[in-house]
Each structure stands twice: as C-alpha cells, then as structure tokens.
Amino acid sequence: MRKLILTMSMTLDGFVSDPKGDVQWIFSGDQEAIAWKVEMLGGARLIIMGSRSFRDMSPFWPTSSSVFAPPMNQIPKAVFSRQGPAVLEPAIAAIKNAKSGELQPGAESWSTAHLCTGNLADEIARLKAQDGKPIIALGGAAFARSLIAQNLVDEYALMIHPIALGKGVPIFSDLPEPRPLELVSSKAFPLGSVAQIYRPA
C-alpha cells in the first residue's frame, strides 16, 4: 500500500491561484524552495493529475530544460479524465513535433500515461494498492478539491507563499465537514515561503 501526497502552492489566505488562474506569485526564484519541491517530486513513483492540468502540462514538459524536467518527465503518469484516449493527444502531438535533440529523457511518459476513467475513489484505491514509493497529486484545483472532499489524501505537502490575494481559487472549499490535520514538519525558506507537511489527524 502506498500513500497519496497532494502537493500544492498556496497563498497565506488559502488560494492556489487568483480568480483568473494566475499563479505568477509562485515563481519567487527562491532556490532552496525550488530544491525542496524537486526533492519532494523526485520521491514519487507516480504522478497523478486531472485532465485540465494534463492538457496544460503535457505539451510543455517533454522539451523543457527546467530543473523540474527530470522528475516531471521520468516519473510515470496517470491522468483522470472522462475523455478517454483523446486526453493524450496534446502529449502525442508535442512529442511527434519536437525537433531532433529536444526531447528530454522520459518524455514518452506523457504520451503513454495511464488513463483513469472510472469512479475517483475506486481508481485511487487501485493505485494505492500497489507497492512502492508514494503517489504525488499535482492538481489542478478542481481535481485537488475532489481528492480532499472524498478524504483520499494521506499527506498534504503545501508550499505557503508570503502573499495574500483576498480572493481566488481554494482547494478546501468542498469539505463535507471540518477536517482536522496534524502538522508533521515545517521548513522556512530565505524569501519567506514555508513548506508545511500535514496528515489527517
């Protein structure tokens, strides 16, 4: 049995983006915070996400030279979507159209992502039943809300950024009742972000 970790960047007032989806505040350039995120991601055996995030990310990462590119490309993926194989088309096209030498190692993990089209809780249970390193859920917000609301998250890895938006997109808004959490660890970074690890209490 492996655990499901939800990792998200959040504002001090609990939003993962502004109302229009902008997340520029995430990119502070704090190298220690970036290293923490890369290490967290690299500890996973599977990355899962909703179809919107997959559609946005899959054309980008196969040719990216970002410090996040190795884990983002080399770790297997599962995408939750009602679209069936059509959700993989942007990834297939991006890999097919990449210029010679552009594709990063593991890029094909996007075009060969496992499709999860059934009931969310059932699909998560099947993925958790496998042995090995944790599953990392990257979002987006609607997918994260569904995981949280159905109590499927075993650990929250939240990067809290030193900014308040006043309004935006939350991920804890669909809770059927209050959800007590236990703080497992906390690490502050030079530019003010704080990594907080929580588990259900």
Side-chain angles (χ1 to χ4, degrees):
M1 180 72 73
R2 54 185 176 176
K3 65 182 176 181
L4 171 58
I5 302 171
L6 174 64
T7 179
M8 299 289 283
S9 290
M10 300 180 70
T11 64
L12 286 173
D13 48 352
F15 300 118
V16 296
S17 76
D18 76 5
K20 296 182 178 179
D22 184 75
V23 293
Q24 287 303 309
W25 45 270
I26 291 175
F27 306 106
S28 66
D30 189 323
Q31 296 306 305
E32 290 188 28
I34 290 171
W36 182 89
K37 289 181 181 180
V38 171
E39 182 180 4
M40 170 63 65
L41 190 58
R45 176 64 183 85
L46 179 69
I47 294 172
I48 66 172
M49 63 187 74
S51 58
R52 293 177 187 174
S53 292
F54 189 87
R55 181 192 62 213
D56 293 341
M57 293 184 184
S58 61
F60 172 77
W61 287 110
T63 57
S64 172
S65 58
S66 161
V67 67
F68 291 99
M72 286 300 296
N73 285 312
Q74 295 170 25
I75 297 172
K77 317 289 182 302
V79 55
F80 287 72
S81 174
R82 304 287 187 187
Q83 301 174 38
V87 75
L88 301 178
E89 291 176 1
I92 294 170
I95 291 172
K96 180 180 178 181
N97 296 330
K99 296 177 182 177
S100 178
E102 279 188 339
L103 287 180
Q104 297 297 314
E108 68 282 352
S109 70
W110 292 95
S111 60
T112 60
H114 175 68
L115 293 173
C116 297
T117 59
N119 174 271
L120 177 62
D122 293 340
E123 295 280 11
I124 292 294
R126 280 191 282 270
L127 294 176
K128 283 186 177 184
Q130 302 172 22
D131 293 327
K133 294 180 178 179
I135 303 165
I136 292 274
L138 294 183
F143 182 57
R145 279 196 296 271
S146 296
L147 292 172
I148 294 167
Q150 297 188 45
N151 207 22
L152 301 174
V153 178
D154 301 302
E155 190 170 282
Y156 298 86
L158 306 177
M159 181 68 76
I160 312 300
H161 292 258
I163 185 173
L165 298 181
K167 55 185 177 179
V169 178
I171 58 171
F172 291 101
S173 56
D174 292 342
L175 290 177
E177 57 187 11
R179 182 75 49 79
L181 300 175
E182 174 190 3
L183 180 63
V184 176
S185 67
S186 179
K187 181 175 175 60
F189 298 101
L191 297 185
S193 296
V194 181
Q196 305 272 44
I197 306 293
Y198 293 94
R199 292 177 188 153

